[in-house]
Amino acid sequence: MFVLEVVSGPFDGKIWPFEREITIGRDVTVAEACLALDRYVSRCHARLLVDGDHLRLSDLKSRNGVNIGGEPVKDDTTVEIGIPFTIGRTLLRVNRA
């Protein structure tokens, strides 16, 4: 079990538990982790997928992209537990529950 946590942004401190996969976006009808107040987040912005011992982060063709350490995420990228990443103007990280 994992927890997606907002580190900085309009939803600072908000968490979403997930086991296998979670979609991040601005529209509650398509995103389990909804960041509705961040206008730089696309309707269906990104997806986190548990792949064995790794987490895979994918940009879902969003307008403003996804960044890890200031570098844009291309296609499918491995993200380490606890390492922050940016979606829109929101800083997030994944921890084990």
Side-chain angles (χ1 to χ4, degrees), residues 6 9 13-14 17 19 32 35 52 55 60 62 68 80 88 93-94:
V6 176
K14 174 83 173 146
E19 288 185 29
E32 293 90 4
L35 303 171
L55 286 170
L60 300 176
S62 66
I68 299 174
E80 300 294 327
R93 72 176 165 215
V94 177

Side-chain angles (χ1 to χ4, degrees), residues 6-70:
V6 176
V7 178
S8 176
F11 291 97
D12 193 13
K14 174 83 173 146
I15 61 169
W16 295 272
F18 69 102
E19 288 185 29
R20 188 83 190 114
E21 178 179 339
I22 190 165
T23 302
I24 306 161
R26 197 177 58 216
D27 186 341
V28 71
T29 63
V30 294
E32 293 90 4
C34 184
L35 303 171
L37 298 178
D38 187 338
R39 64 187 183 119
Y40 294 93
V41 174
S42 296
R43 183 174 172 266
C44 190
H45 199 108
R47 180 177 44 243
L48 276 165
L49 175 69
V50 178
D51 182 17
D53 293 335
H54 300 92
L55 286 170
R56 308 291 298 168
L57 179 60
S58 302
D59 184 348
L60 300 176
K61 299 181 181 173
S62 66
R63 175 178 280 172
N64 294 305
V66 178
N67 292 291
I68 299 174

